[in-house]
mmCIF file of all heavy atoms in Angstrom:
data_model
loop_
_atom_site.group_PDB
_atom_site.id
_atom_site.type_symbol
_atom_site.label_atom_id
_atom_site.label_comp_id
_atom_site.label_asym_id
_atom_site.label_seq_id
_atom_site.Cartn_x
_atom_site.Cartn_y
_atom_site.Cartn_z
ATOM 1 N N ASP A 45 -70.631 -53.105 -14.498
ATOM 2 C CA ASP A 45 -71.900 -52.405 -14.311
ATOM 3 C C ASP A 45 -72.574 -52.114 -15.651
ATOM 4 O O ASP A 45 -73.803 -52.225 -15.781
ATOM 5 C CB ASP A 45 -71.674 -51.099 -13.551
ATOM 6 C CG ASP A 45 -71.289 -51.334 -12.099
ATOM 7 O OD1 ASP A 45 -71.369 -52.496 -11.645
ATOM 8 O OD2 ASP A 45 -70.902 -50.373 -11.417
ATOM 9 N N LYS A 46 -71.775 -51.777 -16.655
ATOM 10 C CA LYS A 46 -72.328 -51.487 -17.978
ATOM 11 C C LYS A 46 -72.991 -52.728 -18.573
ATOM 12 O O LYS A 46 -74.090 -52.658 -19.139
ATOM 13 C CB LYS A 46 -71.213 -50.990 -18.898
ATOM 14 C CG LYS A 46 -71.664 -50.520 -20.265
ATOM 15 C CD LYS A 46 -70.484 -49.978 -21.065
ATOM 16 C CE LYS A 46 -70.936 -49.508 -22.441
ATOM 17 N NZ LYS A 46 -69.780 -48.984 -23.234
ATOM 18 N N ASN A 47 -72.347 -53.885 -18.410
ATOM 19 C CA ASN A 47 -72.895 -55.138 -18.949
ATOM 20 C C ASN A 47 -74.142 -55.597 -18.193
ATOM 21 O O ASN A 47 -74.946 -56.362 -18.729
ATOM 22 C CB ASN A 47 -71.831 -56.238 -18.913
ATOM 23 C CG ASN A 47 -70.700 -55.974 -19.898
ATOM 24 O OD1 ASN A 47 -70.884 -55.266 -20.891
ATOM 25 N ND2 ASN A 47 -69.522 -56.508 -19.619
ATOM 26 N N LYS A 48 -74.284 -55.130 -16.970
ATOM 27 C CA LYS A 48 -75.490 -55.438 -16.196
ATOM 28 C C LYS A 48 -76.646 -54.507 -16.546
ATOM 29 O O LYS A 48 -77.757 -54.668 -16.042
ATOM 30 C CB LYS A 48 -75.205 -55.324 -14.691
ATOM 31 C CG LYS A 48 -74.357 -56.449 -14.116
ATOM 32 C CD LYS A 48 -74.155 -56.223 -12.621
ATOM 33 C CE LYS A 48 -73.331 -57.336 -11.991
ATOM 34 N NZ LYS A 48 -73.107 -57.078 -10.538
ATOM 35 N N GLY A 49 -76.368 -53.528 -17.407
ATOM 36 C CA GLY A 49 -77.402 -52.569 -17.783
ATOM 37 C C GLY A 49 -77.586 -51.470 -16.768
ATOM 38 O O GLY A 49 -78.576 -50.732 -16.815
ATOM 39 N N LEU A 50 -76.656 -51.343 -15.840
ATOM 40 C CA LEU A 50 -76.747 -50.290 -14.829
ATOM 41 C C LEU A 50 -76.312 -48.958 -15.415
ATOM 42 O O LEU A 50 -75.516 -48.888 -16.360
ATOM 43 C CB LEU A 50 -75.872 -50.640 -13.620
ATOM 44 C CG LEU A 50 -76.204 -51.954 -12.906
ATOM 45 C CD1 LEU A 50 -75.205 -52.203 -11.777
ATOM 46 C CD2 LEU A 50 -77.627 -51.920 -12.344
ATOM 47 N N GLU A 51 -76.830 -47.891 -14.836
ATOM 48 C CA GLU A 51 -76.457 -46.559 -15.295
ATOM 49 C C GLU A 51 -75.087 -46.216 -14.714
ATOM 50 O O GLU A 51 -74.924 -46.048 -13.510
ATOM 51 C CB GLU A 51 -77.499 -45.539 -14.821
ATOM 52 C CG GLU A 51 -77.395 -44.211 -15.539
ATOM 53 C CD GLU A 51 -78.582 -43.309 -15.232
ATOM 54 O OE1 GLU A 51 -79.725 -43.800 -15.255
ATOM 55 O OE2 GLU A 51 -78.341 -42.126 -14.954
ATOM 56 N N ILE A 52 -74.084 -46.112 -15.560
ATOM 57 C CA ILE A 52 -72.720 -45.860 -15.105
ATOM 58 C C ILE A 52 -72.009 -44.960 -16.112
ATOM 59 O O ILE A 52 -72.055 -45.202 -17.322
ATOM 60 C CB ILE A 52 -71.944 -47.187 -14.906
ATOM 61 C CG1 ILE A 52 -70.517 -46.926 -14.400
ATOM 62 C CG2 ILE A 52 -71.922 -48.011 -16.187
ATOM 63 C CD1 ILE A 52 -70.441 -46.530 -12.969
ATOM 64 N N ASP A 53 -71.401 -43.895 -15.631
ATOM 65 C CA ASP A 53 -70.657 -42.990 -16.512
ATOM 66 C C ASP A 53 -69.248 -43.521 -16.735
ATOM 67 O O ASP A 53 -68.713 -44.293 -15.929
ATOM 68 C CB ASP A 53 -70.571 -41.597 -15.886
ATOM 69 C CG ASP A 53 -71.925 -40.907 -15.842
ATOM 70 O OD1 ASP A 53 -72.757 -41.193 -16.711
ATOM 71 O OD2 ASP A 53 -72.148 -40.105 -14.910
ATOM 72 N N VAL A 54 -68.648 -43.108 -17.827
ATOM 73 C CA VAL A 54 -67.238 -43.435 -18.079
ATOM 74 C C VAL A 54 -66.408 -42.847 -16.948
ATOM 75 O O VAL A 54 -66.622 -41.698 -16.543
ATOM 76 C CB VAL A 54 -66.784 -42.844 -19.431
ATOM 77 C CG1 VAL A 54 -65.274 -43.004 -19.614
ATOM 78 C CG2 VAL A 54 -67.536 -43.499 -20.576
ATOM 79 N N PRO A 55 -65.495 -43.621 -16.347
ATOM 80 C CA PRO A 55 -64.677 -43.071 -15.265
ATOM 81 C C PRO A 55 -63.921 -41.816 -15.695
ATOM 82 O O PRO A 55 -63.306 -41.786 -16.766
ATOM 83 C CB PRO A 55 -63.720 -44.214 -14.905
ATOM 84 C CG PRO A 55 -63.914 -45.278 -15.930
ATOM 85 C CD PRO A 55 -65.184 -45.022 -16.647
ATOM 86 N N ILE A 56 -63.994 -40.807 -14.862
ATOM 87 C CA ILE A 56 -63.398 -39.505 -15.162
ATOM 88 C C ILE A 56 -61.876 -39.603 -15.254
ATOM 89 O O ILE A 56 -61.226 -40.240 -14.424
ATOM 90 C CB ILE A 56 -63.790 -38.497 -14.054
ATOM 91 C CG1 ILE A 56 -65.306 -38.232 -14.091
ATOM 92 C CG2 ILE A 56 -63.017 -37.188 -14.191
ATOM 93 C CD1 ILE A 56 -65.811 -37.437 -12.908
ATOM 94 N N ASN A 57 -61.310 -38.985 -16.306
ATOM 95 C CA ASN A 57 -59.855 -38.802 -16.379
ATOM 96 C C ASN A 57 -59.088 -40.117 -16.411
ATOM 97 O O ASN A 57 -57.928 -40.180 -16.006
ATOM 98 C CB ASN A 57 -59.385 -37.979 -15.163
ATOM 99 C CG ASN A 57 -58.368 -36.920 -15.540
ATOM 100 O OD1 ASN A 57 -58.200 -36.592 -16.701
ATOM 101 N ND2 ASN A 57 -57.691 -36.400 -14.540
ATOM 102 N N TYR A 58 -59.742 -41.163 -16.917
ATOM 103 C CA TYR A 58 -59.164 -42.511 -16.875
ATOM 104 C C TYR A 58 -58.753 -42.981 -18.268
ATOM 105 O O TYR A 58 -57.613 -43.379 -18.495
ATOM 106 C CB TYR A 58 -60.186 -43.451 -16.253
ATOM 107 C CG TYR A 58 -59.800 -44.911 -16.188
ATOM 108 C CD1 TYR A 58 -58.647 -45.335 -15.534
ATOM 109 C CD2 TYR A 58 -60.631 -45.882 -16.762
ATOM 110 C CE1 TYR A 58 -58.322 -46.687 -15.447
ATOM 111 C CE2 TYR A 58 -60.319 -47.233 -16.682
ATOM 112 C CZ TYR A 58 -59.162 -47.636 -16.026
ATOM 113 O OH TYR A 58 -58.845 -48.973 -15.952
ATOM 114 N N TYR A 59 -59.691 -42.907 -19.184
ATOM 115 C CA TYR A 59 -59.380 -43.238 -20.575
ATOM 116 C C TYR A 59 -58.782 -42.020 -21.282
ATOM 117 O O TYR A 59 -59.049 -40.866 -20.893
ATOM 118 C CB TYR A 59 -60.639 -43.675 -21.326
ATOM 119 C CG TYR A 59 -61.214 -44.991 -20.866
ATOM 120 C CD1 TYR A 59 -62.423 -45.028 -20.161
ATOM 121 C CD2 TYR A 59 -60.565 -46.189 -21.130
ATOM 122 C CE1 TYR A 59 -62.969 -46.241 -19.745
ATOM 123 C CE2 TYR A 59 -61.101 -47.398 -20.714
ATOM 124 C CZ TYR A 59 -62.303 -47.417 -20.019
ATOM 125 O OH TYR A 59 -62.831 -48.614 -19.607
ATOM 126 N N VAL A 60 -58.007 -42.260 -22.295
ATOM 127 C CA VAL A 60 -57.470 -41.173 -23.107
ATOM 128 C C VAL A 60 -58.636 -40.385 -23.698
ATOM 129 O O VAL A 60 -59.555 -40.965 -24.297
ATOM 130 C CB VAL A 60 -56.570 -41.724 -24.242
ATOM 131 C CG1 VAL A 60 -56.104 -40.586 -25.157
ATOM 132 C CG2 VAL A 60 -55.376 -42.474 -23.649
ATOM 133 N N ASP A 61 -58.636 -39.073 -23.465
ATOM 134 C CA ASP A 61 -59.711 -38.180 -23.934
ATOM 135 C C ASP A 61 -61.078 -38.593 -23.393
ATOM 136 O O ASP A 61 -62.118 -38.275 -23.998
ATOM 137 C CB ASP A 61 -59.762 -38.128 -25.468
ATOM 138 C CG ASP A 61 -58.497 -37.570 -26.085
ATOM 139 O OD1 ASP A 61 -57.855 -36.722 -25.439
ATOM 140 O OD2 ASP A 61 -58.134 -38.007 -27.189
ATOM 141 N N ASP A 62 -61.117 -39.316 -22.259
ATOM 142 C CA ASP A 62 -62.370 -39.804 -21.661
ATOM 143 C C ASP A 62 -63.179 -40.646 -22.641
ATOM 144 O O ASP A 62 -64.411 -40.711 -22.556
ATOM 145 C CB ASP A 62 -63.223 -38.630 -21.138
ATOM 146 C CG ASP A 62 -62.644 -38.032 -19.873
ATOM 147 O OD1 ASP A 62 -62.003 -38.773 -19.102
ATOM 148 O OD2 ASP A 62 -62.835 -36.822 -19.645
ATOM 149 N N ASP A 63 -62.485 -41.309 -23.532
ATOM 150 C CA ASP A 63 -63.113 -42.159 -24.551
ATOM 151 C C ASP A 63 -62.731 -43.604 -24.264
ATOM 152 O O ASP A 63 -61.539 -43.963 -24.332
ATOM 153 C CB ASP A 63 -62.635 -41.726 -25.943
ATOM 154 C CG ASP A 63 -63.310 -42.486 -27.073
ATOM 155 O OD1 ASP A 63 -63.804 -43.623 -26.845
ATOM 156 O OD2 ASP A 63 -63.318 -41.960 -28.209
ATOM 157 N N ASP A 64 -63.722 -44.445 -23.953
ATOM 158 C CA ASP A 64 -63.411 -45.818 -23.528
ATOM 159 C C ASP A 64 -62.950 -46.727 -24.672
ATOM 160 O O ASP A 64 -62.706 -47.914 -24.454
ATOM 161 C CB ASP A 64 -64.595 -46.444 -22.794
ATOM 162 C CG ASP A 64 -65.854 -46.554 -23.643
ATOM 163 O OD1 ASP A 64 -65.788 -46.241 -24.850
ATOM 164 O OD2 ASP A 64 -66.903 -46.969 -23.109
ATOM 165 N N THR A 65 -62.784 -46.143 -25.866
ATOM 166 C CA THR A 65 -62.233 -46.923 -26.978
ATOM 167 C C THR A 65 -60.757 -46.583 -27.246
ATOM 168 O O THR A 65 -60.129 -47.186 -28.115
ATOM 169 C CB THR A 65 -63.034 -46.674 -28.270
ATOM 170 O OG1 THR A 65 -62.839 -45.315 -28.706
ATOM 171 C CG2 THR A 65 -64.512 -46.940 -28.054
ATOM 172 N N LYS A 66 -60.213 -45.608 -26.499
ATOM 173 C CA LYS A 66 -58.869 -45.105 -26.806
ATOM 174 C C LYS A 66 -57.776 -45.597 -25.851
ATOM 175 O O LYS A 66 -56.631 -45.177 -25.975
ATOM 176 C CB LYS A 66 -58.879 -43.567 -26.819
ATOM 177 C CG LYS A 66 -59.628 -42.972 -28.000
ATOM 178 C CD LYS A 66 -59.434 -41.461 -28.052
ATOM 179 C CE LYS A 66 -60.066 -40.862 -29.300
ATOM 180 N NZ LYS A 66 -59.843 -39.402 -29.382
ATOM 181 N N GLY A 67 -58.119 -46.447 -24.922
ATOM 182 C CA GLY A 67 -57.095 -46.958 -24.023
ATOM 183 C C GLY A 67 -57.011 -46.213 -22.701
ATOM 184 O O GLY A 67 -57.557 -45.108 -22.537
ATOM 185 N N ILE A 68 -56.320 -46.816 -21.751
ATOM 186 C CA ILE A 68 -56.235 -46.310 -20.378
ATOM 187 C C ILE A 68 -54.978 -45.469 -20.209
ATOM 188 O O ILE A 68 -53.902 -45.832 -20.689
ATOM 189 C CB ILE A 68 -56.225 -47.484 -19.385
ATOM 190 C CG1 ILE A 68 -57.542 -48.263 -19.489
ATOM 191 C CG2 ILE A 68 -55.977 -47.012 -17.965
ATOM 192 C CD1 ILE A 68 -57.479 -49.640 -18.865
ATOM 193 N N ASN A 69 -55.123 -44.367 -19.506
ATOM 194 C CA ASN A 69 -53.997 -43.495 -19.202
ATOM 195 C C ASN A 69 -53.650 -43.656 -17.719
ATOM 196 O O ASN A 69 -54.277 -43.049 -16.858
ATOM 197 C CB ASN A 69 -54.350 -42.039 -19.526
ATOM 198 C CG ASN A 69 -53.160 -41.112 -19.385
ATOM 199 O OD1 ASN A 69 -52.035 -41.551 -19.203
ATOM 200 N ND2 ASN A 69 -53.421 -39.812 -19.458
ATOM 201 N N VAL A 70 -52.664 -44.492 -17.406
ATOM 202 C CA VAL A 70 -52.271 -44.715 -16.014
ATOM 203 C C VAL A 70 -51.415 -43.541 -15.549
ATOM 204 O O VAL A 70 -50.352 -43.284 -16.110
ATOM 205 C CB VAL A 70 -51.479 -46.041 -15.865
ATOM 206 C CG1 VAL A 70 -50.987 -46.205 -14.433
ATOM 207 C CG2 VAL A 70 -52.356 -47.223 -16.265
ATOM 208 N N ARG A 71 -51.884 -42.846 -14.505
ATOM 209 C CA ARG A 71 -51.153 -41.658 -14.054
ATOM 210 C C ARG A 71 -51.014 -41.606 -12.531
ATOM 211 O O ARG A 71 -50.674 -40.564 -11.971
ATOM 212 C CB ARG A 71 -51.841 -40.391 -14.569
ATOM 213 C CG ARG A 71 -53.249 -40.214 -14.073
ATOM 214 C CD ARG A 71 -53.878 -38.955 -14.664
ATOM 215 N NE ARG A 71 -54.368 -39.190 -16.006
ATOM 216 C CZ ARG A 71 -54.643 -38.230 -16.886
ATOM 217 N NH1 ARG A 71 -54.439 -36.974 -16.569
ATOM 218 N NH2 ARG A 71 -55.106 -38.519 -18.086
ATOM 219 N N TRP A 72 -51.290 -42.741 -11.850
ATOM 220 C CA TRP A 72 -51.234 -42.754 -10.389
ATOM 221 C C TRP A 72 -50.133 -43.650 -9.825
ATOM 222 O O TRP A 72 -49.869 -43.642 -8.626
ATOM 223 C CB TRP A 72 -52.582 -43.211 -9.830
ATOM 224 C CG TRP A 72 -52.963 -44.623 -10.205
ATOM 225 C CD1 TRP A 72 -52.657 -45.774 -9.536
ATOM 226 C CD2 TRP A 72 -53.717 -45.034 -11.352
ATOM 227 N NE1 TRP A 72 -53.174 -46.876 -10.179
ATOM 228 C CE2 TRP A 72 -53.839 -46.450 -11.302
ATOM 229 C CE3 TRP A 72 -54.319 -44.360 -12.415
ATOM 230 C CZ2 TRP A 72 -54.517 -47.181 -12.273
ATOM 231 C CZ3 TRP A 72 -54.989 -45.084 -13.378
ATOM 232 C CH2 TRP A 72 -55.086 -46.473 -13.311
ATOM 233 N N ARG A 73 -49.486 -44.435 -10.661
ATOM 234 C CA ARG A 73 -48.610 -45.487 -10.159
ATOM 235 C C ARG A 73 -47.383 -44.939 -9.423
ATOM 236 O O ARG A 73 -47.001 -45.433 -8.366
ATOM 237 C CB ARG A 73 -48.182 -46.381 -11.320
ATOM 238 C CG ARG A 73 -47.487 -47.666 -10.893
ATOM 239 C CD ARG A 73 -47.285 -48.581 -12.087
ATOM 240 N NE ARG A 73 -48.549 -49.132 -12.573
ATOM 241 C CZ ARG A 73 -48.827 -49.380 -13.848
ATOM 242 N NH1 ARG A 73 -47.935 -49.101 -14.781
ATOM 243 N NH2 ARG A 73 -49.990 -49.900 -14.201
ATOM 244 N N SER A 74 -46.739 -43.916 -9.966
ATOM 245 C CA SER A 74 -45.497 -43.418 -9.356
ATOM 246 C C SER A 74 -45.762 -42.822 -7.978
ATOM 247 O O SER A 74 -45.012 -43.070 -7.032
ATOM 248 C CB SER A 74 -44.821 -42.387 -10.266
ATOM 249 O OG SER A 74 -45.680 -41.297 -10.524
ATOM 250 N N HIS A 75 -46.835 -42.044 -7.842
ATOM 251 C CA HIS A 75 -47.134 -41.464 -6.539
ATOM 252 C C HIS A 75 -47.626 -42.522 -5.555
ATOM 253 O O HIS A 75 -47.383 -42.416 -4.348
ATOM 254 C CB HIS A 75 -48.162 -40.338 -6.677
ATOM 255 C CG HIS A 75 -47.561 -39.053 -7.152
ATOM 256 N ND1 HIS A 75 -47.618 -38.642 -8.457
ATOM 257 C CD2 HIS A 75 -46.856 -38.097 -6.493
ATOM 258 C CE1 HIS A 75 -46.998 -37.476 -8.583
ATOM 259 N NE2 HIS A 75 -46.524 -37.129 -7.409
ATOM 260 N N GLY A 76 -48.299 -43.539 -6.044
ATOM 261 C CA GLY A 76 -48.714 -44.624 -5.168
ATOM 262 C C GLY A 76 -47.506 -45.339 -4.578
ATOM 263 O O GLY A 76 -47.449 -45.606 -3.369
ATOM 264 N N ASN A 77 -46.529 -45.648 -5.433
ATOM 265 C CA ASN A 77 -45.313 -46.292 -4.937
ATOM 266 C C ASN A 77 -44.561 -45.393 -3.965
ATOM 267 O O ASN A 77 -44.057 -45.857 -2.937
ATOM 268 C CB ASN A 77 -44.401 -46.661 -6.110
ATOM 269 C CG ASN A 77 -44.848 -47.929 -6.818
ATOM 270 O OD1 ASN A 77 -45.055 -48.958 -6.199
ATOM 271 N ND2 ASN A 77 -45.011 -47.855 -8.128
ATOM 272 N N LEU A 78 -44.494 -44.096 -4.273
ATOM 273 C CA LEU A 78 -43.792 -43.165 -3.399
ATOM 274 C C LEU A 78 -44.494 -43.033 -2.056
ATOM 275 O O LEU A 78 -43.842 -42.981 -1.001
ATOM 276 C CB LEU A 78 -43.673 -41.802 -4.082
ATOM 277 C CG LEU A 78 -42.946 -40.704 -3.306
ATOM 278 C CD1 LEU A 78 -41.546 -41.146 -2.907
ATOM 279 C CD2 LEU A 78 -42.893 -39.418 -4.151
ATOM 280 N N PHE A 79 -45.816 -43.005 -2.081
ATOM 281 C CA PHE A 79 -46.573 -42.890 -0.830
ATOM 282 C C PHE A 79 -46.302 -44.087 0.078
ATOM 283 O O PHE A 79 -46.026 -43.917 1.276
ATOM 284 C CB PHE A 79 -48.069 -42.790 -1.133
ATOM 285 C CG PHE A 79 -48.929 -42.776 0.095
ATOM 286 C CD1 PHE A 79 -49.054 -41.625 0.857
ATOM 287 C CD2 PHE A 79 -49.617 -43.914 0.501
ATOM 288 C CE1 PHE A 79 -49.839 -41.609 2.004
ATOM 289 C CE2 PHE A 79 -50.402 -43.903 1.643
ATOM 290 C CZ PHE A 79 -50.510 -42.748 2.393
#
């Protein structure tokens, strides 16, 4: 969406410190597998 020029916010609570240059913080995998 960003490359299309669409208005899009950085995904909440996804990147480290909500900064899209700092990498992804995966925090859902264990509960997904358990579910």
